[in-house]
């Protein structure tokens, strides 16, 4: 029998939640950004935060929205979260977080929520806290507000290649286009153009006071193998460190050896392992 049941957290416990998120600033970055912007009230945050632990000793949390993300989830917490969630309909499109917690949740939830479209059990989580030791590509720059139409096809290609489904399928791409536009307006989208087309792109998809998390890294297929990615990423990392946060982080599929070599050259170091379950 569980002695510490899961409960939904509210704004009164925000400081305790923020203290936990500070203990895992990279794996919990997406949750930290959302809570910093919208708090813990579910009607504002578009998600719920579940807590595990005594009221005066919060041990673990789990964000439940478009994604399901456990943070600092011990084995007893994973068991308790799974017991709570197994009675609910799956609404999230993925489970993502530290590998031990994600795979533990999926082991317990797969019978209720399965099948998954894909399980990626080993995604190195990397971080850098200094400018890269390699030269930055001067042609990589922030995307201007007038260039969203030029960036969007590359963003769709990256998403489809990475996730395995097109972002246009859900609503014709309207929601995804809004997201791309928001990142451009926030100065968090980078690209290199050649002959009017995007040949490299990356975004700071998550920004907290602790880290800027890079996602959506993509090189046009006809430009791959030419060695442009390292200098391009170096430009992104330098700008992110100067404008947004004291560290830059990202995660990558373990089988993507070319990308891992690029990140290593740019000074990224391992800080953990994530896993993702895609529906």
């Amino acid at each position: 029998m569980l002695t510490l049941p899961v409960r939904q957290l509210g704004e009164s416990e925000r400081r305790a939640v923020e203290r936990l998120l500070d203990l895992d600033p990279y794996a919990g970055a997406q949750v930290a950004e959302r809570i910093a912007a919208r708090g813990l009230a579910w009607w504002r945050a578009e998600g719920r935060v579940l807590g595990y632990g005594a009221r005066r000793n919060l041990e673990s949390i789990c964000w439940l929205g478009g994604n399901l993300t456990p943070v600092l989830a011990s084995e007893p917490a994973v068991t308790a979260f799974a017991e709570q969630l197994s009675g609910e309909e799956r609404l999230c499109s993925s489970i993502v977080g530290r590998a031990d917690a994600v795979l533990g949740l999926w082991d317990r939830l797969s019978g209720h929520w399965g099948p998954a479209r894909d399980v990626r059990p080993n995604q190195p989580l990397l971080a850098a806290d200094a400018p890269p030791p390699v030269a930055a590509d001067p042609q990589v720059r922030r995307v201007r507000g007038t260039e969203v139409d030029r960036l969007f096809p590359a963003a769709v290609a990256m998403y489809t290649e990475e996730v395995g489904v097109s972002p246009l399928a859900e609503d014709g791409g309207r929601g995804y286009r809004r997201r791309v536009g928001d990142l451009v307006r926030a100065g968090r989208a980078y690209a290199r153009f050649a002959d009017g087309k995007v040949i490299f792109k990356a975004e700071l998809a998550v920004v907290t006071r602790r880290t800027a998390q890079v996602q959506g890294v993509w090189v046009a297929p006809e430009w791959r193998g030419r060695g442009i990615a390292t200098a391009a990423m170096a430009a992104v990392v330098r700008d992110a460190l100067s404008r947004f946060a004291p560290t830059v982080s990202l995660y990558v599929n373990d089988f993507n050896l070319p990308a891992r070599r690029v990140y290593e050259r740019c000074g990224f170091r391992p800080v953990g392992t994530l896993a993702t379950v895609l529906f």
Side-chain angles (χ1 to χ4, degrees):
M1 180 178 293
L2 294 174
T3 57
L4 294 174
V6 169
R7 65 189 189 280
Q8 184 169 324
L9 305 180
E11 192 64 23
S12 64
E13 295 179 278
R14 181 167 175 170
R15 290 186 65 183
V17 170
E18 290 175 338
R19 283 195 294 270
L20 269 185
L21 289 166
D22 273 343
L23 296 175
D24 199 0
Y26 304 122
Q30 189 171 25
V31 179
E33 181 186 54
R34 181 61 64 92
I35 290 174
R38 300 192 178 186
L40 287 166
W42 62 267
W43 61 88
R44 289 199 307 265
E46 299 177 350
R48 294 180 290 149
V49 178
L50 305 178
Y52 175 83
R55 289 199 170 271
R56 295 193 178 185
N57 185 29
L58 186 64
E59 297 177 27
S60 308
I61 62 172
C62 191
W63 167 266
L64 180 59
N67 301 320
L68 174 64
T69 302
V71 180
L72 293 177
S74 62
E75 187 171 348
V78 166
T79 300
F81 288 141
E83 184 173 280
Q84 171 75 25
L85 294 168
S86 64
E88 301 185 14
E89 179 186 1
R90 178 186 63 80
L91 299 176
C92 60
S93 61
S94 67
I95 308 173
V96 59
R98 294 276 180 182
D100 54 351
V102 167
L103 298 177
L105 279 172
W106 184 233
D107 183 57
R108 293 164 174 82
L109 289 172
S110 58
H112 306 277
W113 284 6
R117 184 167 52 81
D118 193 10
V119 178
R120 300 177 181 180
N122 183 9
Q123 297 175 303
L125 177 63
L126 311 173
D129 58 7
V134 295
D137 185 343
Q139 296 185 72
V140 173
R141 58 172 175 80
R142 281 171 258 164
V143 179
R144 303 183 184 106
T146 57
E147 296 174 320
V148 174
D149 286 343
R150 296 167 66 189
L151 177 63
F152 188 65
V156 170
M158 177 282 305
Y159 187 100
T160 304
E161 185 176 337
E162 173 64 23
V163 180
V165 296
S166 170
L168 308 180
E170 184 74 20
D171 58 358
R174 291 186 296 274
Y176 188 61
R177 185 183 176 84
R178 280 196 302 272
R179 172 63 172 163
V180 171
D182 288 345
L183 291 172
V184 169
R185 285 186 289 275
R188 289 162 50 174
Y190 302 85
R192 177 179 165 183
F193 296 87
D195 299 324
K197 294 183 179 181
V198 174
I199 65 169
F200 167 87
K201 64 167 284 293
E203 294 88 39
L204 304 179
V206 176
V207 173
T208 72
R209 63 187 180 84
R210 302 291 298 277
T211 194
Q213 198 158 94
V214 180
Q215 294 180 18
V217 179
W218 180 84
V219 175
E222 64 272 21
W223 283 79
R224 293 174 190 175
R226 301 193 192 186
I228 72 167
T230 299
M233 271 301 299
V236 173
V237 173
R238 285 178 181 273
D239 189 73
L241 289 173
S242 68
R243 292 197 301 129
F244 287 106
T247 69
V248 179
S249 56
L250 55 84
Y251 59 99
V252 59
N253 291 316
D254 63 322
F255 53 79
N256 192 345
L257 297 180
R260 293 177 66 179
R261 286 192 289 268
V262 166
Y263 302 143
E264 184 176 3
R265 293 186 198 111
C266 287
F268 284 90
R269 68 186 188 283
V271 292
T273 304
L274 300 192
T276 301
V277 179
L278 294 168
F279 299 104

